[in-house]
Amino acid sequence: MIDRRINKHPILEIPDKKEVSFLWNGKKLSGLEGEMISSALLANDIHIFGHHPKDGSPQGLFCANGQCSQCLVIADNVPVKGCMTPLHEGMIIESVEGIPELPAEDGPVKPHEIPLTDVDVLIIGAGPAGLSAAIELGKLGIDTLLVDDKDRIGGKLVLQTHKFFGSVEDSHAGTRGFEIASLLGNTLAEFSSVRTWLSTTAVGVFSDGIVGVVTDKSYRKIRPKKLLVATGARERMLSFPGNTLPGVFGAGAFQTLVNRDLVRTSDKVFIVGGGNVGLIAAYHAIQAGIQVVGLVEALPQVGGYKVHADKLKRLGVPIYTSHTVVAAHGKDRVESLTIAELDREWNIIPDSHKTFQADTVLIAVGLAEVNEFYLKAREWGMDVFVAGDAQEIAEASAAMFTGKIEGLKIAKSLNRTRETIPREWEEKAQVLKSKPGPVSIEPPPEQPSGVMPIFHCYQEIACNPCTSVCPEHAIHTREDKITGLPYMTDLSLCKGCLSCVAVCPGLAITLVDYRKNPHRPTVTLPYEIWRETVEIGQEIQVTDDNGTIIGNYPVKKVTSLKKKFPGTLLVQIEMEAENAGKAIGIRVQKEEIKPDMVYEEDLPPDEAIVCRCERVTAGEIREAIQNGVRDMNHLKAINRAGMGACGSKTCRPMIWRLFKEEGIDLEQVTDRVDRPLFVEVPLGTFAGVLGGDSDE
């Protein structure tokens, strides 16, 4: 059996965790104590967790975030979500084959009294927005309870190994996401008025102002005066044949596995979606030792930051714009993927298909706000606030600002401060939410003497850490705006300290030093992949901005500014002066995977699964729409679409899209009635007989 543990990483430390044994379908395996069951199974190269009772289709991990039920397994005789259930010594885990049997009837039970906690402020979600809000409330000594369904704080920050954009002062720019989570956590720990309940899932908001949460099978009721919803976002899914095969992941699930749980899910991954999420996930894959076969984007250009896309090109990742995914192929898991080119009308161009061998397809086609708690609380007339992605999809740096703003608003509503919201907070939040600006490529300065940084940053984005770290204060941005492109005010001021090269989140700054040899200067390149590929004396392939290979050059020196910017290696080479200003990247993926000459036969698009829980196809839903169905509740009654365990979290956006594709005015469509609970909860938990009271 293949061991898929990541035992070394260029950025992350490998924690020392206790190894435990467990049974999987009667076979003894090993895992790490406290890791999620799904991660333990994937680490043992087990990708199929069971088979669907309707059609026998293989079921595996999809979201790794508790939003769906694809990872359902039987653990110690109880059906559980593998991605949310920690492993322990001697656990007996079985695959779900068909419909799980209910436990034998053991007679009536006497419900226990459910504990009620009163609190001034309840914050749902301990990501960047929730943490930032809690810090503002903690500064004022306001009684605050912060709950999160994960076993650690930070939300999606803990999945990010790249350095953040924004500004150093306001959003920790130049610091990696998981490090920002620690910084926020350390600050929060200073305030005794803020309590944190981890591994605690909010499950419902009720008309009497009570919020229900579950901690380790124990149900609790919380009655807040003010509620802040900072629940982040969930990933959107695409409808294409093969989209539910094991090996088709959401981008967040992939990052959870490789960066949080240090499990190398695959050997070859193909990315679908060219926004920042997809671009960053591809970079994380390479850091985890996984080959990125390619990235496909339906638009004529990627939607994420150009510097993210450029990093991938330099590393050797092909990016296919104006292309879409046609189908994923495989029997029990993904084995290959077919893409095709799109014309200007978004139609597939005949004979443009390309099939690639890959064992993982990563879906990164956008995010949707997890705002159901906010909408329901508002419906019940509660004093509710919203921050982060639950308010508006944006970067984590923006989420930190919206958290600060909403935290101060809550404090004002409690009459605990007279401080007004700083106008600059609002302005900075809007800037950090802004989309990438236009691309402006300027040639490097012609000065074959001295030493100077070269800025390969050509797109206006909210980012300026290079201006903060320059000890000579010689780097500025155009018009001194955070979105302006960087430049040197006076090239003679540069002393070659390398700080700007090391801090740049986009790895878009190099240093060219002509002082020793003006004809063959020393060029310093930023690098965050494998140290052994850039050992002194080794030849490396150096690329320009577009990933074109300039030539092979031996490494002269490898250094780093460890205390300030750990993880970023500074690789120095000597090269001809005419190419020094062009050099920026080091090719890692030397061999590009070519598509098969013969692509897989197209599957009908209507065979794509839309409702994963109930295995309802796009064709079945289209047929109902064509027969006059205009009510999501009617649709559910006809073919069970949206009736599954996840509560239509994944399929609902795709069903709306099918209505639109069929030419239906969405104003004529009645949305489904939401369940009172947004997360599945065993009845025994509500009765207080499963978990008992838990310590706070």
Side-chain angles (χ1 to χ4, degrees):
M1 182 174 292
I2 299 174
D3 180 6
R4 292 199 169 274
R5 298 280 178 197
I6 295 174
N7 296 315
K8 62 175 183 177
H9 195 281
I11 304 298
L12 299 169
E13 293 184 6
I14 308 301
D16 184 16
K17 288 189 175 182
K18 179 183 177 182
E19 189 171 293
V20 297
S21 61
F22 66 97
L23 291 180
W24 167 251
N25 288 335
K27 184 176 182 179
K28 188 175 181 180
L29 300 174
S30 64
L32 301 180
E33 187 173 43
E35 72 175 337
M36 298 303 112
I37 289 174
S38 55
S39 297
L41 292 175
L42 286 167
N44 283 280
D45 205 33
I46 294 168
H47 301 266
I48 300 173
F49 296 175
H51 294 84
H52 199 281
K54 181 176 179 179
D55 58 7
S57 58
Q59 303 287 286
L61 187 69
F62 172 63
C63 80
N65 197 33
Q67 300 289 313
C68 73
S69 294
Q70 287 284 119
C71 62
L72 192 70
V73 294
I74 309 296
D76 295 334
N77 297 316
V78 177
V80 298
K81 293 180 180 180
C83 73
M84 300 295 288
T85 307
L87 185 71
H88 63 73
E89 175 65 44
M91 182 177 271
I92 300 174
I93 309 170
E94 299 171 291
S95 59
V96 177
E97 306 297 341
I99 300 176
E101 291 185 12
L102 293 174
E105 178 61 50
D106 54 359
V109 298
K110 182 179 180 180
H112 295 181
E113 183 177 348
I114 303 300
L116 173 64
T117 299
D118 285 292
V119 67
D120 285 345
V121 183
L122 170 63
I123 301 175
I124 305 177
L131 287 171
S132 298
I135 289 170
E136 293 302 314
L137 295 166
K139 290 176 182 177
L140 297 169
I142 295 173
D143 180 27
T144 303
L145 176 59
L146 177 66
V147 303
D148 194 276
D149 61 356
K150 302 300 186 297
D151 63 351
R152 67 200 77 178
I153 62 172
K156 290 296 189 288
L157 289 175
V158 302
L159 311 182
Q160 310 302 334
T161 63
H162 62 284
K163 290 173 286 192
F164 269 44
F165 294 81
S167 70
V168 172
E169 178 184 359
D170 298 318
S171 51
H172 305 284
T175 305
R176 304 184 192 280
F178 68 92
E179 294 171 331
I180 294 175
S182 296
L183 290 172
L184 293 176
N186 291 338
T187 301
L188 185 64
E190 299 173 8
F191 308 115
S192 59
S193 64
V194 181
R195 290 170 288 165
T196 302
W197 292 355
L198 296 178
S199 300
T200 298
T201 303
V203 298
V205 180
F206 305 104
S207 59
D208 57 359
I210 298 294
V211 178
V213 303
V214 175
T215 305
D216 190 25
K217 300 180 183 179
S218 295
Y219 183 62
R220 301 175 177 185
K221 296 185 292 186
I222 303 170
R223 184 165 53 201
K225 294 178 182 176
K226 311 289 179 179
L227 173 64
L228 174 63
V229 177
T231 42
R234 64 173 61 94
E235 288 162 308
R236 296 185 183 274
M237 185 52 183
L238 280 180
S239 172
F240 59 89
N243 62 345
T244 63
L245 280 169
V248 177
F249 293 121
F254 182 82
Q255 291 173 309
T256 296
L257 290 164
V258 298
N259 290 342
R260 187 194 73 181
D261 299 338
L262 295 172
V263 175
R264 186 171 55 84
T265 62
S266 52
D267 298 314
K268 298 176 181 178
V269 63
F270 203 104
I271 315 290
V272 179
N276 278 339
V277 174
L279 297 170
I280 292 170
Y283 189 67
H284 291 168
I286 294 173
Q287 288 182 323
I290 300 171
Q291 183 173 23
V292 180
V293 176
L295 182 146
V296 65
E297 168 56 54
L299 293 170
Q301 65 284 320
V302 297
Y305 294 167
K306 176 175 168 57
V307 287
H308 282 320
D310 288 349
K311 280 194 299 185
L312 295 183
K313 292 177 183 178
R314 298 167 198 157
L315 292 170
V317 176
I319 297 177
Y320 300 90
T321 53
S322 295
H323 280 70
T324 189
V325 57
V326 174
H329 313 282
K331 182 181 178 182
D332 293 324
R333 63 168 299 187
V334 172
E335 297 172 9
S336 62
L337 179 82
T338 297
I339 66 173
E341 191 172 359
L342 297 171
D343 62 21
R344 293 183 178 180
E345 303 300 321
W346 300 90
N347 298 311
I348 290 177
I349 298 174
D351 301 322
S352 67
H353 297 70
K354 307 175 186 70
T355 295
F356 296 86
Q357 301 302 310
D359 56 5
T360 297
V361 178
L362 192 157
I363 306 298
V365 292
L367 301 169
E369 298 90 348
V370 179
N371 59 5
E372 48 261 37
F373 293 98
Y374 172 71
L375 297 176
K376 184 60 68 173
R378 195 170 63 175
E379 179 184 336
W380 297 138
M382 296 174 66
D383 202 353
V384 61
F385 301 77
V386 62
D389 280 349
Q391 179 189 85
E392 180 182 352
I393 303 299
E395 297 298 308
S397 52
M400 285 184 259
F401 258 98
T402 60
K404 290 172 62 173
I405 291 168
E406 297 304 311
L408 198 53
K409 284 182 181 178
I410 292 170
K412 284 178 66 66
S413 71
L414 288 167
N415 296 318
R416 298 293 295 271
T417 182
R418 294 182 179 178
E419 183 180 349
T420 59
I421 307 296
R423 186 174 180 179
E424 64 175 17
W425 284 15
E426 300 275 9
E427 292 173 349
K428 288 180 178 179
Q430 289 305 312
V431 169
L432 292 170
K433 292 179 183 179
S434 61
K435 303 298 181 184
V439 174
S440 177
I441 299 179
E442 299 180 6
E446 294 184 7
Q447 181 185 332
S449 62
V451 58
M452 71 184 76
I454 305 294
F455 301 101
H456 300 259
C457 179
Y458 309 120
Q459 185 180 48
E460 293 183 355
I461 58 176
C463 182
N464 67 358
C466 55
T467 66
S468 300
V469 299
C470 178
E472 308 300 324
H473 307 290
I475 301 177
H476 286 246
T477 54
R478 302 294 179 189
E479 301 179 15
D480 284 328
K481 294 181 178 179
I482 190 174
T483 53
L485 298 180
Y487 70 98
M488 282 283 291
T489 57
D490 185 347
L491 292 176
S492 66
L493 293 175
C494 182
K495 302 297 190 296
C497 72
L498 296 172
S499 293
C500 61
V501 182
V503 77
C504 180
L507 304 185
I509 303 177
T510 60
L511 193 81
V512 181
D513 191 344
Y514 296 94
R515 291 174 295 188
K516 288 184 178 180
N517 187 343
H519 302 291
R520 199 166 179 81
T522 298
V523 180
T524 303
L525 307 170
Y527 178 75
E528 293 184 340
I529 314 297
W530 297 108
R531 174 68 185 245
E532 56 265 30
T533 63
V534 291
E535 293 291 350
I536 294 175
Q538 285 187 324
E539 281 204 348
I540 57 174
Q541 289 185 329
V542 177
T543 72
D544 64 10
D545 294 308
N546 293 316
T548 303
I549 296 173
I550 296 174
N552 294 343
Y553 301 89
V555 175
K556 296 297 183 181
K557 184 178 180 181
V558 180
T559 186
S560 66
L561 307 181
K562 288 184 179 180
K563 290 185 178 180
K564 290 185 178 180
F565 312 109
T568 300
L569 298 178
L570 304 173
V571 181
Q572 296 184 341
I573 60 173
E574 294 175 0
M575 63 188 307
E576 55 278 2
E578 60 267 26
N579 285 328
K582 301 175 186 177
I584 175 62
I586 299 172
R587 178 68 65 93
V588 173
Q589 295 193 163
K590 300 292 179 67
E591 297 182 9
E592 179 180 339
I593 295 181
K594 302 294 184 181
D596 293 344
M597 296 301 292
V598 179
Y599 63 87
E600 297 276 356
E601 182 180 354
D602 281 0
L603 296 172
D606 277 354
E607 287 191 7
I609 297 295
V610 172
C611 177
R612 306 172 74 90
C613 298
E614 297 294 332
R615 304 292 295 177
V616 183
T617 66
E620 291 175 285
I621 295 172
R622 286 187 193 277
E623 182 181 5
I625 295 172
Q626 293 165 2
N627 288 335
V629 173
R630 299 294 182 270
D631 187 326
M632 299 275 268
N633 302 288
H634 186 190
L635 187 65
K636 181 171 69 173
I638 291 173
N639 56 31
R640 299 178 65 87
M643 195 173 180
C646 85
S648 77
K649 293 184 182 73
T650 301
C651 65
R652 187 189 230 158
M654 290 194 288
I655 294 173
W656 279 108
R657 182 173 177 176
L658 289 174
F659 273 108
K660 187 175 181 179
E661 289 177 357
E662 289 297 312
I664 307 302
D665 181 358
L666 297 184
E667 294 293 328
Q668 300 177 4
V669 181
T670 301
D671 199 1
R672 58 162 286 155
V673 176
D674 280 323
R675 299 170 181 169
L677 295 175
F678 299 120
V679 180
E680 315 92 291
V681 182
L683 291 177
T685 296
F686 280 125
V689 298
L690 283 186
D693 295 346
S694 297
D695 294 331
E696 296 182 5

